[in-house]
Amino acid sequence: MARGVTGGALTLAASLAFAPAAGAAPAGPAPVASGTTASAPWTVTPAGAGSWDVDLTLPDGVPVRAAQPQLVVDGVLLGTAREESDRRTLTVQTSDPRVARARSVRLAWNGVVAGQEARVLKHAAAPTAAPQPDPGGRTLAQDPGATGRYAVTRADYDLGDTAVRLPGLGGQAVEERAAVYLPKGATGPRPVVVFLHGRHQACYGGSEDQFDEGWPCSGGAKPVPSHLGYGQAAQALASQGYAVVSISADGINALDYAAEDGGAQARGELVLAHLDLLRAFTAGRGGVAGAPLKGRLDLSDVGLMGHSRGGEGVVRAALLNAERPDPYGIRAVMPLAPVDFARQTLPGAAMAVVLPYCDGDVSDQQGQHFYDDTRYAAKDDVLRTSLLVMGANHNFFNSEWTPGVSQAPSNDDWGVDDDPVCGSSSPQRLTAAEQRAVGAAYVSGFFRLNLGGEEQFRPLFDGTGGRAASAGRAVVHTEAQQPSSARTDLARLEGPSSSVTLASKSAFCVGAGEPVPGQAARCTSQDPYSGSLPHWTPAAFAPTVPATPLLHARWTVGQRKPVTVRVAPGAAAGVHQALTFRAAPARTLSTDLQVTLTDAEGRTASVPVSRFSTALSALPVLASPWSQDGQGAAKTWLRTVRIPLDAFPGVDLGTLASVSFTPLGPTANVFLSDVALDAPAAGKGVVTTLPAVSIGDVQAVEADGTQELRMPLTLSHRSAVPVTVDVDTAGAALDGRIPAAWTRVTIPAGALTGSVVVPLTGDTVPEEQQARFTVTIATPREAVVGDGFGTLTVFDDDAFSPQG
């Protein structure tokens, strides 16, 4: 809900006039459909004219996962479900009339019915395992995962289970405790890295029904020590001179089921609460608990790593921090196997998104949006990276989520043991120890590069193919965008441009699934909830906002016309080392392209992509119940191709005139994006000074016909350039009165306010007297998201009947 912003013409008297009468609540409407599916009872109940509540009650409670729960009715995905306070019931309100004739209702995660993965492998032909080509690259001379010269000491603190109150948790207080790793003997204030774990079971032991007992743990149960699970990465960093603070978020995990944003705001505020505490400790105001940290911390040099929902949490923390009058120096952020429910961007800070290929929890790799959406959100000067770790699952980056080493019960989140790619016995799957080593190497290397300026670790993140010795046999693919000072963009390939000539079958595209009138063509007809399309996975709270526009380049037999990017005179001037672009095979079929540079005198040189990159080789096929042929599907994930400019002999790069792409075989079907010239660099992360855009709340009385409601948009300060933001009303399209739609709004340069029009179509049918709907803002450019959720409250103007 927006903070202190209201709109519309509804008065207090009108609000009271439409308030429910005092006294006992009337009986609710009778279900129009009901049943039991997989031991879980369900009902479909009228919720007003043209809408229904679909409820599913799980006997064992809603599993605690990073992903948002969804409901599937008769094989059709309805959308994200609301978890009720009993922690067993999931509800989706929908205007789809088919639910009134429902025959089955089932739980799903990331578009896949719970438990269906194993069924697919048992009853369909098993996917064929394709050995993944090694991307090569040199092993770095210094290993970021190795122990450094400092011994490591601990300075943990614990202020109790009810030390701090955070938004979205029903007013309940949660813990403030952390494991602190310090370099023994290191002098002066040390750079600080904060770790935030993700959504996992909060308590263990005690009664079997602990999941619905809230927080603190009760009945003899104990908190799960998830914050202790990153010890290997913490030891590696602390032994090199960094202070590492790994914070506990069990209370949030126990209480965030009702938060409108999935707990992102609470997690971000928790990070800042710990930084506030650390500031007091390092200033000598911490008493006995903070004494070991007095004078030890440099809070102007801070990095954040968040795992799972903690990944979205640390992004939110960095954004909240930027709104403070005296912000901490958060300069680098690493979302590890993250969720991204709301498509928020993070310009200014160095970023490395880590995506495990065998993630069985956030199986759609939705955190890729952090990279995609931030690339051109604003001009900044940082290295931005997305890493795909082959053979890694969701849980095993944390030892406390790993069977055999965790204190609490834990599991392998990839639930299909005989999957030939990600199954526990697959040779392509990393062991838990191997995965923790990969995590430690990349976490340590990222912060040592971006906080400590240790350039020797840049090749792990800049796309040049560096490898860490301690990462062993792990294959890690890379997308990398160099800092703006080291990069010249030739063509983003997000849409039509006078400088780009297309092959006859090529077209710009956006998203996946069914075509949407008024939008560019879809990049693929494949279901966007298939789990195999990280770039185009719909966000839980902004599903209609277009995702990752790019070029779909296609050549059929006999067609040779190239895709050509014309280069303006002088645009290639500067110190560049490589031509770069992102590429992936469409329809998961490996292919190859020829890349040709032409200068102003007509001299040309050509090379094949395959000589320098595996980007056009298909990734391994995984089991997928949504695949059309039952054989599974490979992930479609763009990789950065880097072709050294000295591979184009005879071309005068100073007068470069064009870059063109043609197929090397009789046909080709590829996705292309981000054509640039660059030189590898790290840049420097900063706290963004962009304005924060927020959406306000509105109240309105329903009227017959259609009325246009204006929801206010405000900036925290004026911008010298126009600000754009996408507005999604899918969360308000529950009963047919408000359409699920996407709108892009521009706030002019110099202005502080704008608005978005939300159409509300009234009727004469009695409905719920007071309905609350959520409208989300996402993917801003030249701004960041402040308060991203606006509440639209609609009061019915017709006599309400609970049986209506």
Side-chain angles (χ1 to χ4, degrees), residues 358-752:
C358 299
D359 194 322
D361 190 341
V362 189
S363 56
D364 52 15
Q365 284 84 21
Q366 60 188 259
Q368 174 63 31
H369 288 310
F370 285 127
Y371 177 92
D372 287 351
D373 293 341
T374 306
R375 287 171 301 143
Y376 304 117
K379 186 176 181 179
D380 57 14
D381 201 40
V382 294
L383 174 62
R384 188 168 292 111
T385 308
S386 185
L387 303 166
L388 187 65
V389 184
M390 307 306 295
N393 74 352
H394 187 84
N395 285 353
F396 291 176
F397 290 109
N398 186 315
S399 62
E400 290 298 334
W401 298 359
T402 303
V405 294
S406 61
Q407 298 180 48
S410 56
N411 69 296
D412 180 353
D413 53 277
W414 188 265
V416 187
D417 286 342
D418 54 350
D419 186 318
V421 175
C422 291
S424 57
S425 60
S426 168
Q428 299 183 56
R429 179 70 185 273
L430 299 177
T431 67
E434 287 175 323
Q435 183 170 327
R436 287 197 301 275
V438 172
Y442 279 86
V443 169
S444 176
F446 176 72
F447 292 113
R448 290 176 67 182
L449 169 65
N450 290 289
L451 301 185
E454 297 186 67
E455 287 277 336
Q456 67 269 31
F457 301 121
R458 176 171 42 77
L460 292 175
F461 305 98
D462 64 8
T464 59
R467 308 184 68 176
S470 59
R473 66 187 180 97
V475 174
V476 181
H477 298 294
T478 307
E479 294 177 79
Q481 183 189 48
Q482 305 301 327
S484 60
S485 62
R487 185 185 83 246
T488 299
D489 293 325
L490 301 181
R492 297 178 180 180
L493 298 183
E494 292 186 311
S497 168
S498 60
S499 65
V500 179
T501 301
L502 302 184
S504 58
K505 293 290 185 179
S506 299
F508 292 101
C509 64
V510 62
E514 296 296 323
V516 177
Q519 292 187 18
R522 291 311 199 200
C523 297
T524 173
S525 60
Q526 191 174 348
D527 191 314
Y529 292 98
S530 66
S532 60
L533 304 171
H535 300 283
W536 302 309
T537 295
F541 303 138
T544 68
V545 174
T548 316
L550 45 72
L551 176 63
H552 187 182
R554 290 176 289 177
W555 293 268
T556 57
V557 175
Q559 295 180 331
R560 310 300 298 174
K561 181 181 177 181
V563 169
T564 300
V565 175
R566 289 184 294 280
V567 180
V575 180
H576 301 109
Q577 295 182 14
L579 171 73
T580 66
F581 53 91
R582 292 197 299 168
R587 299 182 180 177
T588 65
L589 299 174
S590 298
T591 188
D592 202 1
L593 294 181
Q594 178 173 274
V595 180
T596 301
L597 299 191
T598 304
D599 64 20
E601 297 297 323
R603 293 181 289 261
T604 66
S606 301
V607 297
V609 168
S610 58
R611 184 186 301 175
F612 301 94
S613 173
T614 62
L616 294 178
S617 297
L619 293 166
V621 172
L622 299 176
S624 172
W626 296 99
S627 65
Q628 295 179 352
D629 57 7
Q631 302 300 305
K635 305 280 184 181
T636 296
W637 192 76
L638 299 165
R639 285 169 267 178
T640 295
V641 178
R642 293 188 60 83
I643 303 178
L645 292 177
D646 58 15
F648 299 94
V651 175
D652 181 3
L653 300 173
T655 64
L656 182 64
S658 69
V659 180
S660 61
F661 303 86
T662 51
L664 276 174
T667 65
N669 193 347
V670 302
F671 297 118
L672 296 173
S673 180
D674 301 346
V675 182
L677 299 173
D678 70 31
K684 184 176 182 179
V686 298
V687 176
T688 185
T689 58
L690 292 171
V693 57
S694 298
I695 186 168
D697 298 339
V698 167
Q699 295 179 333
V701 178
E702 180 193 21
D704 296 342
T706 299
Q707 57 181 310
E708 292 186 342
L709 306 180
R710 289 191 174 271
M711 300 193 72
L713 301 171
T714 59
L715 296 180
S716 58
H717 60 266
R718 300 181 197 276
S719 171
V721 296
V723 167
T724 64
V725 65
D726 293 324
V727 183
D728 185 290
T729 60
L734 303 179
D735 62 7
R737 290 182 287 178
I738 297 171
W742 153 73
T743 304
R744 179 160 293 168
V745 178
T746 299
I747 300 176
L752 280 174

Side-chain angles (χ1 to χ4, degrees), residues 271-280 299-302 321-322 324 326-331 687:
V271 171
L272 295 184
H274 277 271
L275 289 174
D276 291 342
L277 189 63
L278 294 172
R279 178 164 57 189
L299 296 175
S300 68
D301 200 11
V302 177
N321 177 66
R324 289 187 163 199
D326 183 22
Y328 298 105
I330 298 174
R331 301 198 296 109
V687 176

Side-chain angles (χ1 to χ4, degrees), residues 128-178:
T128 300
Q132 181 58 28
D134 192 320
R138 68 187 187 282
T139 300
L140 303 185
Q142 188 172 346
D143 183 2
T147 301
R149 64 190 182 95
Y150 295 106
V152 177
T153 61
R154 294 283 288 274
D156 301 359
Y157 57 85
D158 187 348
L159 277 62
D161 285 338
T162 56
V164 61
R165 296 186 188 277
L166 303 169
L169 304 181
Q172 298 189 58
V174 299
E175 80 274 24
E176 198 165 8
R177 69 172 56 98

